[in-house]
Amino acid sequence: MKNDALKALYEERSDLVAKARQIMDKADNENRSMNTEETSTSERMLDRVDAIEGEIEQMNQRSRLESAENHLDSPARAVATPALGGTSSSMDATAGAEYTRSFWANLRGEATYEQRSQLKGTANVGGNVCPDDMERRIIEELQQASVMRTLANVQTVDSDRTIPVESFQGSAGWVAEAGSISASDTQFTQVSMSAYKAADRIDASVELLADGVVDLNSYFANIIGRRMGRLMEEAYWDGDGSGKPTGVVTGTTQNHETASSGAITADDLFDWEGTLPVQYRPGAAFVLSDGAVKAIRKLKDSNDRYIWEPNGWGTATADGAGGTILGYPYFICEFADAPAASAVVGVFGRWENFFIYDRAPGTTLLTDPYTNADTGMVRIISHRRTDSKVVLAEAFAKMTCAA
């Protein structure tokens, strides 16, 4: 209703200005001064124009005041913390249809001073964050593109974290009657979780954004999720912690080296399993390269029969479920090395001891309609911040091919 009234005022002002201009132009074209009636009529029109401008200013001030009140009343954006293997979200400043409409209107360059729902949160607490439905799609794409995120302990935090980790486990002992008890205290170290920025840039045509032929939420969520998912997966696997997260390979110290250079044998698999302390084997899983899985599938016994049977691993574990190695589930990471000299082909362990910390508020999008304006392109910049670390090194064992 308010927009209709404002539009009517703008139209009335434009019409009055045009009519007043016609009266003045008529006198000019006839090389004369305006007569009394023309002067009186044009002055009434211009007085009304001044009055309309005052009404417009009052309405704009009222809109700004209402927007400021809404901004003060709105809570800060709640952090959506993805659970292991899934996501969660709460109703907040980015969850409503109003925010989504304004977000895409701004992206298309259609935003006006009336579209203020994006200002419900300031930039550092979510003012530039993509809508919740798009964020959920991005998280889904991240999960699909990253096996590490489906296995690890994924949490969302709003600041750096220091995690106390048990570095030495105390022990009990036998004590004689009335004998003294020796101290054997558990010792702790600290693991610091920071936040490294993963960024992406997409140039989209004005026509794509304006025509609305495709579902933009899904389109950009798929692109951003896939690109960032692969980037993060590589860092989660073997990142060195310099400008990127620290990967599980980097944080794993226990290692089995194969007997032969660039080759995997059945004995290597049993030795690899044995490298992991027995208390961490229940619930453990293998993550390894596609090339390593292929090499394992090709292993044969002395009768030239494949050892990997449809229902399990060899006769010793023939009752195991399909899709396991030595009875443990396995997953393929595209960034793990294929069997080759000195290559790390996989990691075996309890993956809840590999932490991934995402920094709130999640995915942030910034739009730049100016840099490529001459070619009709809008630049969309996205980024997320994350870190990862092994918090209990003894819960993992990697396998490296001999040099």
Side-chain angles (χ1 to χ4, degrees):
M1 304 302 176
K2 187 185 302 181
N3 288 343
D4 292 341
L6 191 61
K7 179 180 179 182
L9 288 174
Y10 277 119
E11 290 176 349
E12 182 183 358
R13 184 184 66 173
S14 178
D15 184 61
L16 289 171
V17 170
K19 289 180 178 178
R21 171 58 64 185
Q22 288 178 355
I23 294 174
M24 296 178 184
D25 289 345
K26 180 181 178 182
D28 290 340
N29 293 334
E30 294 175 0
N31 295 320
R32 62 177 178 83
S33 301
M34 292 189 297
N35 57 38
T36 303
E37 182 180 355
E38 290 172 335
T39 300
S40 176
T41 300
S42 63
E43 286 179 351
R44 284 198 307 272
M45 290 179 177
L46 295 178
D47 288 343
R48 176 55 184 159
V49 167
D50 291 339
I52 290 173
E53 288 178 346
E55 293 178 30
I56 291 174
E57 179 61 25
Q58 288 181 4
M59 293 184 71
N60 286 336
Q61 289 179 350
R62 192 175 298 113
S63 294
R64 289 194 292 270
L65 178 60
E66 291 173 356
S67 176
E69 290 173 342
N70 290 337
H71 176 56
L72 291 174
D73 292 340
S74 297
R77 183 183 191 273
V79 177
T81 305
L84 185 61
T87 60
S88 63
S89 179
S90 58
M91 292 301 293
D92 50 43
T94 62
E98 180 191 4
Y99 183 91
T100 301
R101 285 194 301 271
S102 289
F103 179 87
W104 290 111
N106 178 66
L107 195 63
R108 296 186 182 101
E110 300 171 355
T112 69
Y113 55 85
E114 291 297 318
Q115 293 170 312
R116 297 178 178 272
S117 58
Q118 278 189 276
L119 299 181
K120 287 187 178 180
T122 57
N124 63 336
V125 292
N128 298 324
V129 182
C130 61
D132 273 10
D133 52 350
M134 184 178 181
E135 175 72 359
R136 285 192 294 270
R137 291 296 301 272
I138 291 175
I139 291 293
E140 290 172 5
E141 289 293 331
L142 288 176
Q143 298 287 82
Q144 293 175 13
S146 172
V147 66
M148 309 294 286
R149 292 182 67 90
T150 65
L151 298 173
N153 188 339
V154 181
Q155 301 182 33
T156 300
V157 298
D158 57 6
S159 62
D160 290 354
R161 288 288 190 272
T162 299
I163 307 169
V165 178
E166 187 179 36
S167 59
F168 175 78
Q169 189 174 27
S171 59
W174 297 106
V175 181
E177 184 176 353
S180 62
I181 301 174
S182 301
S184 180
D185 294 335
T186 298
Q187 297 177 8
F188 290 88
T189 185
Q190 292 184 330
V191 174
S192 297
M193 303 293 288
S194 185
Y196 298 100
K197 183 162 68 175
D200 188 20
R201 190 182 76 190
I202 301 171
D203 289 340
S205 69
V206 174
E207 290 80 6
L208 172 66
L209 299 175
D211 291 347
V213 177
V214 298
D215 179 359
L216 294 179
N217 252 15
S218 299
Y219 178 74
F220 285 110
N222 290 342
I223 292 177
I224 294 169
R226 285 198 305 268
R227 290 182 179 181
M228 288 198 174
R230 294 189 72 250
L231 178 71
M232 293 177 183
E233 178 82 340
E234 184 175 14
Y236 296 153
W237 178 250
D238 62 0
D240 59 8
S242 177
K244 62 174 74 71
T246 303
V248 65
V249 171
T250 306
T252 299
T253 56
Q254 299 176 132
N255 178 60
H256 166 68
E257 186 175 285
T258 62
S260 303
S261 176
I264 301 173
T265 66
D267 287 346
D268 285 320
L269 293 175
F270 288 111
D271 290 339
W272 186 12
E273 178 191 24
T275 305
L276 187 70
V278 65
Q279 66 267 30
Y280 297 114
R281 293 177 201 167
F286 289 98
V287 175
L288 63 173
S289 68
D290 193 40
V293 172
K294 185 191 300 183
I296 295 170
R297 292 179 69 92
K298 289 182 177 180
L299 292 175
K300 298 179 181 180
D301 62 17
S302 58
N303 294 316
D304 204 35
R305 294 179 304 185
Y306 289 109
I307 299 176
W308 192 323
E309 295 182 352
N311 293 322
W313 172 256
T315 56
T317 57
D319 58 343
T324 63
I325 297 176
L326 303 182
Y328 301 98
Y330 75 90
F331 302 87
I332 295 175
C333 174
E334 66 172 307
F335 297 103
D337 296 334
S342 303
V344 179
V345 298
V347 175
F348 175 54
R350 291 287 296 269
W351 290 88
E352 66 269 25
N353 295 295
F354 180 61
F355 278 31
I356 294 176
Y357 273 21
D358 290 336
R359 183 62 61 87
T363 305
T364 298
L365 298 185
L366 301 175
T367 59
D368 174 12
Y370 305 110
T371 300
N372 295 323
D374 57 338
T375 58
M377 305 294 287
V378 175
R379 178 158 292 176
I380 303 166
I381 300 170
S382 60
H383 71 261
R384 293 179 64 90
R385 293 194 295 162
T386 186
D387 194 12
S388 65
K389 278 189 177 68
V390 170
V391 298
L392 190 61
E394 64 184 36
F396 296 93
K398 58 189 175 185
M399 183 163 72
T400 305
C401 290

